[in-house]
């Protein structure tokens, strides 16, 4: 199973349009166009999953740099998701005032 990153997507490109572009190279298992959590607006990138590695590689090579929705898309194999630190809080001290 290959997970393919598709960047520089036009905000009007739908998951169906993305699927159609990649189905020319083989069976597409899943397509996701990422959206902002708060606004629901597209974020300009998405992911395509293909179970056949050979077809996926052909799709990457065949679609990278091509136009979709009026923009040249950037396509490559997705990097594995990395774990992020939780909470977003700094552990450093600070604040307060100096006492003399």
């Amino acid at each position: 199973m290959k997970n393919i990153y598709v960047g520089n997507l036009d905000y009007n490109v739908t998951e169906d349009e993305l699927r159609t572009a990649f189905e020319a190279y083989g069976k597409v298992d899943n397509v996701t166009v990422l959206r902002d959590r708060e606004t629901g607006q597209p974020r300009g990138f998405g992911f395509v999953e293909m179970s056949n590695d050979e077809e996926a590689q052909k799709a990457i090579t065949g679609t990278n740099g091509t136009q979709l929705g009026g923009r040249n898309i950037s396509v490559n194999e997705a990097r594995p998701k990395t774990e992020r630190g939780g909470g977003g809080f700094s552990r450093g001290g600070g604040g307060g005032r100096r006492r003399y």
Side-chain angles (χ1 to χ4, degrees):
M1 168 82 69
K2 272 205 190 204
N3 195 17
I4 302 167
Y5 167 83
V6 184
N8 200 36
L9 282 176
D10 183 275
Y11 293 140
N12 296 316
V13 169
T14 66
E15 289 180 352
D16 287 339
E17 291 171 316
L18 193 55
R19 178 181 295 274
T20 300
F22 279 78
E23 281 180 335
Y25 298 92
K27 183 179 181 297
V28 174
D29 297 321
N30 191 35
V31 175
T32 306
V33 173
L34 278 287
R35 296 184 171 275
D36 185 271
R37 287 183 196 161
E38 295 176 19
T39 66
Q41 297 299 314
R43 296 184 61 195
F45 68 96
F47 294 94
V48 175
E49 292 179 4
M50 298 178 78
S51 53
N52 183 306
D53 287 352
E54 187 176 315
E55 291 174 353
Q57 191 56 52
K58 286 180 183 176
I60 291 169
T61 304
T63 58
N64 187 34
T66 62
Q67 271 204 1
L68 183 62
R71 296 178 84 175
N72 290 344
I73 58 174
S74 173
V75 183
N76 51 49
E77 187 171 349
R79 289 176 280 192
K81 192 172 184 177
T82 57
E83 288 296 318
R84 298 208 276 181
F89 294 102
S90 158
R91 296 204 185 270
R97 61 186 170 94
R98 289 187 178 196
R99 297 179 190 190
Y100 293 98

